Every structure is written in C-alpha cells, then in structure tokens.
Amino acid sequence: QVQLVESGGGLVQTGGSLRLSCAASGRTFSTYVVAWFRQAPGKEREFVAAISWSGDTTYYADSVKGRFTMSRDNAKNTVYLQMNSLKPEDAAVYYCAARGPLGSYSYRDYHYWGQGTQVTVSS
C-alpha cells in the first residue's frame, strides 16, 4: 500500500498564499502520478493539479492555472502545491492522491488518498 499525508492547510486572507505538502511512503514505486483534488461543501470532488514522480510533467485545472504550482522533491518523496492569489472559491478540503501509469485526471482513476487538509480563504 501507499500512504499519503497532507499538511500545510490553514486560514488565509483573500489574495494570500499557502503551500501544501504531501508526503508519500510505503510502496511508492507503484505510483506514477500524484495529484491534488479538492472538495468544498455541497460540491463534487474537483481535480486541481498533477505531477509525475520523474520528469517535469505537470497538468493544471483551468480554474487554478497561473495561480497554483505543483512541484516535487524525490529525495523526500514529497510533492508540493504552491497556491498564490487565493480566492474564496478555493476554500475546500485538499486531498493528495496517487495512481499508476494508466488513468486520467478523474478522481476515479486514483487508488491512494490522503486524509485531506483544510484550506480556508477569508477577507
């Protein structure tokens, strides 16, 4: 199994920044892509961004493109989500997820999930 632990969530003012971390452990060799999803109350789980463990391939949802940046540290088995220019609509529980080589940005393709970290955006 693969274990994922998110951290870095909190309360931030509109226009502010947060950096989320996702530390992976266990059978990380079975994971090829790590992604961030978010879910706000009453809404569907939404894809945010994804990155491969090797290389520099990244993919972002249109809603966060230009504001969020995903990166990785292979030595620490950790991926990051730098969130800038935060808006109230960004408020949600953010989940780290991982999958194998096959799949899309759909949450249904991801087999491993963290417990989530809360991001709150206020004025």
Side-chain angles (χ1 to χ4, degrees), residues 1-4 27 30-31 96-100 110-114:
Q1 293 184 349
V2 175
Q3 294 80 45
L4 303 174
R27 299 180 62 183
S30 66
T31 65
C96 180
R99 66 163 173 84
Y110 287 78
H111 296 162
Y112 307 103
W113 294 85

Side-chain angles (χ1 to χ4, degrees), residues 23-96:
S25 61
R27 299 180 62 183
T28 57
F29 58 85
S30 66
T31 65
Y32 291 79
V33 177
V34 180
W36 289 96
F37 292 81
R38 66 187 183 187
Q39 188 166 24
K43 293 189 176 182
E44 298 289 333
R45 188 163 298 188
E46 176 188 23
F47 172 81
V48 177
I51 192 171
S52 60
W53 279 117
S54 60
D56 58 354
T57 302
T58 56
Y59 184 81
Y60 300 94
D62 289 340
S63 60
V64 305
K65 195 172 298 181
R67 299 188 298 119
F68 291 9
T69 302
M70 198 168 177
S71 61
R72 57 174 170 80
D73 186 337
N74 288 343
K76 297 181 178 179
N77 272 351
T78 301
V79 299
Y80 305 93
L81 183 67
Q82 179 66 47
M83 306 186 295
N84 298 325
S85 301
L86 283 163
K87 306 174 181 179
E89 50 263 43
D90 295 319
V93 176
Y94 282 71
Y95 297 93
C96 180

